[in-house]
């Protein structure tokens, strides 16, 4: 049965009816039927807003976004959590990002968990002394190139000056030491932590080194975190194309690569949500333009490679990229031929972070599967609705405008144009914007888009639609499985991956084909069906 707008609006009404009036009014802006109005306008989504206390959200905190997400996958920085041991412990290797040192002498600290383990005493008398000791101890034991400090909630509350401690220890030890004020309570989700991380690395690391990396086509890959080995597959493909990776942000990354990343010709952004700030700062300071790419899905991978080749305007590179795509596609198609007939027409729901709920729709699309409902935990309006950005303009060699544009003298060939006037002018000249897609315009009409979905809403969607697969994170996983629905984690990939690139697509097709055809879930009787007193406790039954 097809979902009509009227049917979906009715379901939305049913969900909202369970909430108190004020909460319902707020959630109404975050639960949308994806449909343009008669003027072709998309609905406006209420995103990046505070979760109503009492609602079970799946969001994380600012510290998670800074320490766990952006800095977590860097192998040779000693990351010290300044705070209670729990914050350190629960952000220790839970994200399944992998690492591959480049040589035997390369350090890898990712397997360790460093923390000041704050106690009552430090809350009362201050934790700066303990932090200094911890930095010293880490230095004495490991002699790292850099140490960074991440503040958890109590640090902000008691007012420890982590930046002053970092400066003092940097001076004393002669290595790079820098701190992040990423207290968990800042902002409304982990998204605030991404921003803090971007600012910190840009300020303390980018541009400090320009000695490594050669190659004709030099790019940074931003917003790719090597979950389940995704970066390894992307690195393999870029390498085959003759595209040199200066730095990733931050899957399988190292501090030297960050320090060198301003020498790249182009920033290719995968997860725009977590790292767009870095791209924009690099564009402004170093004149490095950025484009959006997506290596999730075989077709998307091919498209992204072509986009990169297009940027360099080099015939040889374009030919090489086509050669690589042609060499990779037969295996992809063979695997798709097997999986697609068993997946076609099945229905998925995707509720993940700030970019995957969008990117993974491409992979499901390749399998002929439809995404019935999707949303981010903490995406912003531009992630949902898409955004037009002005393209960088070429600066001619003897341009006198460089200073005016706030570009440093080592700026390469481009400068960003952001002001309204140039925007209008370019538009009137019919020059293309650097436009990027959003989750909503890319989804079919008459689907549901839900921001910061709650546990109650998740269970309700499952009850009403009985999707063939539900994709989310660990917090949702077991309730979904108990409801008899196959559940795939798109954060950690459970124990699977890589899913990026060509080989990743093949892995994903096989995994989803297996999952949506497994009968095992339909044999489950949820505990609340057998024990009515349990079901009485569930508001939705
Ligand atoms: S790896 Fe990324 S892709 S960085 Fe971000 S928005 Fe999280 S940790 Mo979980 S899986 Fe997720 Fe995205 Fe970007 Fe990961 S969809 S929620 S903060 N995310
Ligand atoms: C985070 C990390 C997380 C959590 C995943 C999950 C990740 O939000 O702090 O809920 O399963 O990808 O590891 O998003």
């Amino acid at each position: 049965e097809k979902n009509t707008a009227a049917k979906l609006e009715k379901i939305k009404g049913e969900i909202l009816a369970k909430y108190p009036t004020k909460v319902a009014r707020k959630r109404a802006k975050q639960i949308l039927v994806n449909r343009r109005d008669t003027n072709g306008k998309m609905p406006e989504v209420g995103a990046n807003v505070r979760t109503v206390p009492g609602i079970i959200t799946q969001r994380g905190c600012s510290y998670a976004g800074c320490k766990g997400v952006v800095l977590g996958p860097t192998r040779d920085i000693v990351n010290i959590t300044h705070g209670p041991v729990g914050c350190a412990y629960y952000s220790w290797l839970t994200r399944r990002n992998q690492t591959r040192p480049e040589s035997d002498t390369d350090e890898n600290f990712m397997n360790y968990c460093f923390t000041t383990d704050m106690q009552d005493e430090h809350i009362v008398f201050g934790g700066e002394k303990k932090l200094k000791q911890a930095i010293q101890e880490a230095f004495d034991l490991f002699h790292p190139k850099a140490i960074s400090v991440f503040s958890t909630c109590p640090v902000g509350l008691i007012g420890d000056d982590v930046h002053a401690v970092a400066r003092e220890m940097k001076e004393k030890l002669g290595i790079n030491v820098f701190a992040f004020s990423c207290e968990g309570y800042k902002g409304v989700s982990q998204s605030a932590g991404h921003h803090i991380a971007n600012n910190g690395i840009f300020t303390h690391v980018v541009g400090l080194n320009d000695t490594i990396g050669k190659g004709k086509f030099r790019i940074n890959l931003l917003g790719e975190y090597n979950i389940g080995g995704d970066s390894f597959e992307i690195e393999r493909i870029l390498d085959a194309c003759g595209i040199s990776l200066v730095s990733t942000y931050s899957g399988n990354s190292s501090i030297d690569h960050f320090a060198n990343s301003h020498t790249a010709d182009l920033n290719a952004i995968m997860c725009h949500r977590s790292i767009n700030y870095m791209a924009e700062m690099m564009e402004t300071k170093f004149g490095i333009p950025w484009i959006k790419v997506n290596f999730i899905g075989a077709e998307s991978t091919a498209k992204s490679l072509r986009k990169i080749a297009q940027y360099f305007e080099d015939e040889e590179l374009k030919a090489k990229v086509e050669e690589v795509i042609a060499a990779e596609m037969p295996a992809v198609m063979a695997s798709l031929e097997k999986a697609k007939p068993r997946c076609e027409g099945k229905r998925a729901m995707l509720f993940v972070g700030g970019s995957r709920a969008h990117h993974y729709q491409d992979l499901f699309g390749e399998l002929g599967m439809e995404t019935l409902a999707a949303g981010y935990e903490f995406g912003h309006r531009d992630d949902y609705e898409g955004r037009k950005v002005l393209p960088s303009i070429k600066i001619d060699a003897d341009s006198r405008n460089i200073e005016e544009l706030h570009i440093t003298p080592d700026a390469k060939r481009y400068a960003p144009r952001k002001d309204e006037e140039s925007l209008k002018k370019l538009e009137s000249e019919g020059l293309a914007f650097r436009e990027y897609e959003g989750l909503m315009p890319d989804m079919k009409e008459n689907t549901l888009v839900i921001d910061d979905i709650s546990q109650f809403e998740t269970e309700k969607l499952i009850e009403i639609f009985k999707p063939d697969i539900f994709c989310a994170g660990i917090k949702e996983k077991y309730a979904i499985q108990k409801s008899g629905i196959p559940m795939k984690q798109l954060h950690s990939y459970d124990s699977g991956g890589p899913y990026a690139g060509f080989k990743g697509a093949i892995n994903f097709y096989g995994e989803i084909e297996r999952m949506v055809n497994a009968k095992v879930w339909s044999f489950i009787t949820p505990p609340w069906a057998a024990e009515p007193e349990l079901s009485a406790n569930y508001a939705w039954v």
Side-chain angles (χ1 to χ4, degrees):
E1 189 202 344
K2 252 190 103 49
N3 287 323
T4 59
K7 180 181 162 194
L8 295 175
E9 290 291 356
K10 189 162 162 265
I11 289 169
K12 173 177 171 176
E14 262 173 56
I15 294 174
L16 294 178
K18 284 283 176 194
Y19 290 130
T21 319
K22 251 175 88 178
V23 178
R25 208 179 302 134
K26 193 164 178 199
R27 287 303 294 156
K29 298 191 188 122
Q30 292 172 276
I31 304 177
L32 301 175
V33 178
N34 191 36
R35 190 160 180 263
R36 289 175 191 272
D37 67 14
T38 43
N39 299 319
K41 215 173 151 288
M42 243 160 8
E44 203 174 280
V45 63
N48 194 29
V49 292
R50 221 161 83 85
T51 305
V52 179
I55 283 191
I56 302 180
T57 174
Q58 316 296 354
R59 280 174 164 175
C61 69
S62 189
Y63 160 81
C66 182
K67 192 268 181 184
V69 174
V70 179
L71 269 300
T74 307
R75 55 178 185 259
D76 53 2
I77 303 178
V78 166
N79 288 336
I80 301 180
T81 296
H82 187 32
V85 71
C87 296
Y89 182 80
Y90 288 105
S91 60
W92 180 24
L93 290 184
T94 53
R95 210 154 141 266
R96 286 198 75 237
N97 28 36
Q98 302 183 2
T99 191
R100 188 163 58 197
E102 279 160 49
S103 71
D104 291 346
T105 53
D106 248 14
E107 296 286 7
N108 176 20
F109 301 119
M110 270 164 60
N111 296 341
Y112 296 102
C113 178
F114 301 92
T115 176
T116 50
D117 182 20
M118 258 184 162
Q119 305 289 318
D120 305 20
E121 177 198 333
H122 310 115
I123 301 293
V124 177
F125 299 107
E128 291 178 11
K129 206 170 121 206
K130 184 82 195 276
L131 178 60
K132 277 181 216 170
Q133 279 169 0
I135 295 172
Q136 183 70 51
E137 195 180 330
F139 178 78
D140 293 342
L141 284 172
F142 296 100
H143 297 286
K145 290 177 184 161
I147 296 177
S148 61
V149 175
F150 300 87
S151 300
T152 58
C153 295
V155 172
L157 298 175
I158 64 173
D160 276 1
D161 188 346
V162 292
H163 304 284
V165 171
R167 274 194 303 274
E168 186 186 323
M169 294 309 281
K170 181 178 178 175
E171 181 80 11
K172 182 174 175 201
L173 304 175
I175 60 163
N176 201 352
V177 183
F178 45 98
F180 297 89
S181 290
C182 54
E183 285 84 353
Y185 56 74
K186 286 194 170 160
V188 302
S189 69
Q190 48 271 66
S191 174
H194 300 148
H195 202 157
I196 294 166
N198 280 229
N199 290 351
I201 315 173
F202 189 75
T203 309
H204 297 291
V205 185
V206 175
L208 290 184
N209 185 334
D210 54 11
T211 58
I212 49 171
K214 297 260 170 313
K216 197 164 164 199
F217 313 110
R218 295 161 55 81
I219 70 164
N220 297 317
L221 183 62
L222 271 57
E224 207 305 305
Y225 299 94
N226 204 20
I227 311 301
D230 276 355
S231 297
F232 299 150
E233 166 65 358
I234 300 173
E235 282 170 26
R236 180 188 73 84
I237 296 169
L238 292 176
D239 205 41
C241 293
I243 299 165
S244 312
L245 200 51
V246 183
S247 183
T248 57
Y249 281 85
S250 43
N252 191 30
S253 59
S254 87
I255 184 150
D256 290 339
H257 291 168
F258 290 157
N260 261 273
S261 58
H262 66 301
T263 67
D265 300 312
L266 175 71
N267 280 328
I269 309 184
M270 194 72 179
C271 167
H272 185 264
R273 177 68 278 127
S274 56
I275 207 89
N276 66 315
Y277 320 98
M278 176 62 76
E280 279 169 21
M281 289 184 290
M282 281 209 205
E283 186 175 53
T284 308
K285 183 162 177 192
F286 301 108
I288 306 173
W290 58 266
I291 55 170
K292 271 208 83 180
V293 292
N294 175 20
F295 288 103
I296 302 297
E299 285 299 332
S300 318
T301 301
K303 198 170 139 195
S304 298
L305 292 173
R306 290 188 176 118
K307 212 165 161 182
I308 295 170
Q310 187 79 32
Y311 164 78
F312 285 105
E313 294 173 357
D314 182 281
E315 291 312 314
E316 222 172 282
L317 177 62
K318 283 185 192 167
K320 189 72 200 166
V321 159
E322 290 308 324
E323 199 183 293
V324 170
I325 296 170
E328 297 283 338
M329 276 318 244
V332 171
M333 294 322 284
S335 146
L336 195 54
E337 249 164 59
K338 271 201 264 162
K340 196 169 173 179
R342 288 166 57 80
C343 294
E344 213 156 17
K346 300 216 186 266
R347 302 154 321 141
M349 290 189 176
L350 278 67
F351 291 93
V352 211
S355 77
R356 292 187 172 182
H358 180 202
H359 284 164
Y360 273 82
Q361 292 192 26
D362 289 0
L363 261 176
F364 281 110
E366 289 173 8
L367 283 165
M369 288 175 65
E370 192 189 333
T371 304
L372 277 189
Y376 301 124
E377 286 167 45
F378 50 77
H380 297 201
R381 272 187 66 187
D382 53 358
D383 302 306
Y384 281 105
E385 297 166 19
R387 184 163 64 131
K388 285 179 171 177
V389 188
L390 272 175
S392 300
I393 49 150
K394 273 194 171 153
I395 314 172
D396 63 56
D398 46 32
S399 167
R400 297 278 162 260
N401 288 335
I402 289 182
E403 257 168 25
E404 247 173 67
L405 289 159
H406 309 290
I407 303 290
T408 55
D410 49 342
K412 295 198 175 282
R413 292 167 286 159
Y414 290 85
R417 296 179 78 158
K418 292 201 166 78
D419 59 297
E420 276 299 310
E421 274 313 299
S422 8
L423 196 145
K424 285 211 187 87
K425 187 162 171 287
L426 281 180
E427 201 168 29
S428 68
E429 287 167 6
L431 288 174
F433 285 99
R434 181 172 57 202
E435 185 167 7
Y436 72 79
E437 312 81 13
L439 177 141
M440 289 165 71
D442 284 353
M443 268 180 89
K444 279 220 176 90
E445 295 228 323
N446 297 335
T447 48
L448 279 174
V449 172
I450 306 182
D451 180 61
D452 184 18
I453 195 169
S454 69
Q455 183 66 27
F456 160 68
E457 290 156 6
T458 301
E459 290 174 10
K460 196 78 190 161
L461 286 189
I462 286 175
E463 185 199 27
I464 296 169
F465 294 99
K466 303 214 166 18
D468 297 290
I469 192 162
F470 197 103
C471 300
I474 191 65
K475 292 157 241 156
E476 300 97 316
K477 186 167 179 86
Y478 299 103
I480 291 164
Q481 289 186 164
K482 281 180 188 166
S483 311
I485 307 290
M487 196 283 178
K488 178 71 193 166
Q489 292 192 64
L490 284 191
H491 297 261
S492 67
Y493 303 164
D494 296 295
S495 52
Y499 296 137
F502 299 110
K503 294 217 165 113
I506 294 173
N507 282 342
F508 197 77
Y509 301 153
E511 174 80 348
I512 298 305
E513 187 268 319
R514 184 182 65 75
M515 289 185 78
V516 297
N517 291 293
K519 298 253 183 316
V520 60
W521 304 109
S522 62
F523 297 139
I524 285 176
T525 308
W528 50 87
E531 290 179 62
E533 63 275 19
L534 263 181
S535 78
N537 292 332
Y538 280 83
W540 53 268
V541 176

